[in-house]
Amino acid sequence: MNVQEKPYIIVLGNEKGGTGKSTLSMHLIVHLLRLGFKVGSIDIDARQGTLSRYIENRQKFVQMNNKELPISSHHAIIKSNLPTVADAHQEDKEKFLACLETLKEKNFIIIDTPGSDTFLSQLSHSYADTLITPLNDSFIDLDMLARINNETREISGPSTYAEMVWDQKKQKLLRDRTQFDWIVLRNRLSSIYAKNKEEMQALLNKLAQRIGFRLASGFGERVIFRELFLQGLTLLDLKDVGIEMTLSHVAARQELRALLEMINLAPLSERLQDAS
Ligand SMILES: Nc1ncnc2c1ncn2[C@@H]1O[C@H](COP(=O)(O)OP(=O)(O)OP(=O)(O)O)[C@@H](O)[C@H]1O
Ligand SMILES: [Mg+2]
């Protein structure tokens, strides 16, 4: 039986900076590696390179502590600086497709995109099987999904990022004859501002129907995420490296599991069993 199919591509995207794309990318990578999948990763935000640095930190940690930790096959793409737009886009596209080709034997490819609108980001959205968009828990962040009337809190229409996602969905449909699944989640939820939280939830539920995404339950504000970056670790590595789990860590891991359950891994797990 031919069990090797095309890799499943998960893109982390949001044109707004600092919403948790790179942090979540790393957590997804490690989770999937720990399930036994072959995982490739691409950083198309290579100028900033947060995911690439996260992975480098992990490699250093492994070397310095003599520990075995799973690491993805990682590629970083630097945006072309050719003088004409057409040439630059062509070069970006070639580099991107070359990366996908190199990673074609993987079960999953995780793509981390920048917090800004670039050609490479748009292109990679069109290759997603699942797009995950983390939002910070504020009305300012909602603005990149929809235009919202400040007074009435009514939705007046989709905004630039939602339109871009829509366009890339069409590109994918034309090219591959398939759609992608779009999951939106709120990150860094605080335990205060309960009223604000409820309002956001109500608006996001309305938006989910209107612009076609599924809403995941999201992640609380947890210091651990910032601490782990420097060591290249994730919440899923704590036991292996001897860090004691606190209640907050356990809660964060539950939040991650809830997100992963929304990506239907069952068919892929069957493939993995067939292959072993
Ligand atoms: N749930 C969380 N709780 C606390 N801190 C978090 C959480 N998620 C992410 N962070 C922190 O927020 C900062 C931004 O996260 P990250 O770099 O993952 O965002 P990003 O969307 O990739 O940003 P950019 O758009 O600049 O690439 C980091 O310092 C990260 O450690
Ligand atoms: Mg990032």
Side-chain angles (χ1 to χ4, degrees), residues 21-22 45 48 50 112-113:
K21 297 176 289 294
S22 303
D45 190 9
Q48 181 174 305
T50 309
D112 186 25
T113 69

Side-chain angles (χ1 to χ4, degrees), residues 40 240 267:
D240 279 6

Side-chain angles (χ1 to χ4, degrees), residues 14 16-24 45 48 50 112-116 134 187-189 219-227 229:
N14 179 338
K16 180 106 189 357
T19 60
K21 297 176 289 294
S22 303
T23 308
L24 267 181
D45 190 9
Q48 181 174 305
T50 309
D112 186 25
T113 69
S116 57
N187 190 17
R188 312 186 72 164
L189 289 160
F219 288 79
E221 168 73 33
R222 301 184 196 285
V223 193
I224 181 80
F225 283 111
R226 291 200 293 277
E227 293 169 351
F229 171 78

